[in-house]
């Protein structure tokens, strides 16, 4: 049913109706629309706009409709323009024309943005739960390989020795920042737009703060025009979702490399691999590659909404109908992707012998030579030059740094005594870096313990927020 039309002599052309129709995607907002209407009804009744008996009938009708939406017994039809018209049609079918009273004092403009915020609160918390589960999987693998020595890389070239648990744990830090961003989003966007009406506020809904509290918001938007036109919260959410996608992409890139014959560091479980339609021997890291590829989609969704928003004048414009599909797509993409990445992370077998085999390749202990001289008072610029000269000598003689003779070291710098050789082991280099962010065993053990503690706090916060939201959504 249409929610407008009295001043028009005819209905919209078929092409206009098709272009305007959004119910096939905004139906996802139906449970939240019912809940907002119930909160609105409470105010209509308390302000005497709707009588007690009519309010009781509408309330019962909305509650029944909410249950039927949840069970799938009620849905939209070909005549419905959007989720709001579909629900009003269903309500009127249950309680008669008095069901149309629910529209008093509100507009689709403030209703839809309120529904949309509730959808995002609900689904961002679900995303957060999946991210926390991935952090658990990462920290478990990091703990398992906290003593495995690995070559560290910069520019995809061997750099310095590290512990492989340290390498893995970096992904947990990035994902914890994503959880922080979700928490920041919830705090900043817990402001209700309901009561803004079409753009000027509502003369029939004088206490929007009461409705806001009932819906779990902490306050009310202070400007009705901003309330109906603001989609910062959607753009912010898309940024958070895109960042999660980027972090998953980096995991996917590394797993793709590590599982190659050239690296041989990781064996991805058969359940999280696929084969080739023509080459029977192939085992492809498709989950890792899809994690890498899906990030483009998530970034694109953010970009598309920013372009929609960049030139909108005044209050509500129909362009804002384009705000939902990017959000729905990003949320649903992560709902499919995150469980697969979690499974891949949990079941991959890392190969310590292969990981450790190349740890000294590329003269990765050269910094230890420079540090040895720096501790003896040599300016680091000179120490750096001397270490580089040692590397050049190694390349000329096809030796590793620790294989240089005392004469070789002395020829480079007089302070390079035989004592330097004691520093030229991978484990010695690793354990000398025992600060908080360092790669020493003690640092990595403490780091993993801290990650587990922080993630457990996050999981408790997510659980409490979800309980609160579920309670608010009860009909």
């Amino acid at each position: 049913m249409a929610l407008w039309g009295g001043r028009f002599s005819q209905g919209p052309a078929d092409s206009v109706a098709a272009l305007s129709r959004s119910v096939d995607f905004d139906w996802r907002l139906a449970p939240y629309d019912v809940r907002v209407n119930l909160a609105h009804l409470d105010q209509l009744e308390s302000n005497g706009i709707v009588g007690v008996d009519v309010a009781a009938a509408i309330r019962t009708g909305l509650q029944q409709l909410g249950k039927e939406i949840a069970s799938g017994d009620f849905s939209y039809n070909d005549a419905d323009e959007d989720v709001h018209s579909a629900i009003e049609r269903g309500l009127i079918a249950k309680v008669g024309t008095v069901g149309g009273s629910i529209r008093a004092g509100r507009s689709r403009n403030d209703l839809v943005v309120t529904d949309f915020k509730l959808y995002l609160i609900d689904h961002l918390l679900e995303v957060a739960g999946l991210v926390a589960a991935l952090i658990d999987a990462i920290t478990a693998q990091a703990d398992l390989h906290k003593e495995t020595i690995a070559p560290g890389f910069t520019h995809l070239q061997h750099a310095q020795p590290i512990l492989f648990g340290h390498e893995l744990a970096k992904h947990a830090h990035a994902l914890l920042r994503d959880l922080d961003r979700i928490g920041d989003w919830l705090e900043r966007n817990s402001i209700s737009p309901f009561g803004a009406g079409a753009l000027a506020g509502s003369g029939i809904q004088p206490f929007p703060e009461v409705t806001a509290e009932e819906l779990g918001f902490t306050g009310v938007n202070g400007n009705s025009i901003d309330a109906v036109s603001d989609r910062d919260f959607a753009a912010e959410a898309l940024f958070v979702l895109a960042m999660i996608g980027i972090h998953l992409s980096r995991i996917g890139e590394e797993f793709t490399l590590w599982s190659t014959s050239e690296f041989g560091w990781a064996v991805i479980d058969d359940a999280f691999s696929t084969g080739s339609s023509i080459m029977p021997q192939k085992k492809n890291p498709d989950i890792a590659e899809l994690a890498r590829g899906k990030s483009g989609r998530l970034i694109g969704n953010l970009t598309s909404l920013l372009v929609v928003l960049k030139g909108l004048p005044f209050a509500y414009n129909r362009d804002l109908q384009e705000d939902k599909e990017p959000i729905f797509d990003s949320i649903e993409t992560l709902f499919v992707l995150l469980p697969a990445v979690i499974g891949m992370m949990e079941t991959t077998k890392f190969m310590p012998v292969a990981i450790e085999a190349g740890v000294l390749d590329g003269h990765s202990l050269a910094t230890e030579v420079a540090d040895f001289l720096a501790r003896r008072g040599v300016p680091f610029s000179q120490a750096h030059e001397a270490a580089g000269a040692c590397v050049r000598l190694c390349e000329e003689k096809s030796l590793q740094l620790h294989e240089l003779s005392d004469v070789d070291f002395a020829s480079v710098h007089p302070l390079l005594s035989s004592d330097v050789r004691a520093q030229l082991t991978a484990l010695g280099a690793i354990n000398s870096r025992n600060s908080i962010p360092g790669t020493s065993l003690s640092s990595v053990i403490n780091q993993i313990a801290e990650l587990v503690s922080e993630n457990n706090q996050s999981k408790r916060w997510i659980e409490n927020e979800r309980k609160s939201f579920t309670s608010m959504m009860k009909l």
Side-chain angles (χ1 to χ4, degrees), residues 289-304:
E289 292 172 346
L290 285 168
R292 194 174 56 192
K294 293 287 186 184
S295 62
R297 184 172 185 157
L298 298 168
I299 294 165
N301 286 335
L302 169 61
T303 303
S304 70

Side-chain angles (χ1 to χ4, degrees), residues 233-296:
F233 68 91
E236 283 185 32
L238 285 170
F239 172 76
V240 173
L241 299 172
M243 283 305 304
I244 293 171
I246 287 168
H247 292 144
L248 296 179
S249 177
R250 295 186 67 186
I251 292 171
E253 172 72 1
E254 289 183 354
F255 272 62
T256 300
L257 288 171
W258 290 340
S259 64
T260 61
S261 299
E262 287 72 18
F263 266 82
W265 288 16
V267 177
I268 298 176
D269 193 84
D270 284 1
F272 295 93
S273 306
T274 64
S276 165
S277 61
I278 191 171
M279 295 172 284
Q281 84 282 6
K282 289 300 295 297
K283 179 179 176 182
N284 299 324
D286 281 18
I287 301 306
E289 292 172 346
L290 285 168
R292 194 174 56 192
K294 293 287 186 184
S295 62

Side-chain angles (χ1 to χ4, degrees), residues 437-471:
T439 192
S440 72
L441 180 57
S442 61
S443 296
V444 171
I445 289 172
N446 290 336
Q447 175 191 177
I448 292 171
E450 184 65 24
L451 285 169
V452 170
S453 176
E454 288 184 30
N455 199 40
N456 284 339
Q457 291 178 27
S458 295
K459 289 189 290 185
R460 287 192 293 271
W461 161 74
I462 294 164
E463 183 181 1
N464 290 336
E465 291 291 329
R466 287 201 64 78
K467 283 181 180 177
S468 177
F469 188 86
T470 300
S471 176

Side-chain angles (χ1 to χ4, degrees), residues 57-71:
I58 293 174
R59 185 172 291 108
T60 299
L62 283 171
Q63 289 169 339
Q64 291 174 349
L65 204 56
K67 292 173 183 175
E68 290 172 10
I69 289 168
S71 67

Side-chain angles (χ1 to χ4, degrees), residues 224-236:
S224 57
I225 301 172
D226 179 57
V228 297
S229 60
D230 167 40
R231 293 300 185 276
D232 291 5
F233 68 91
E236 283 185 32

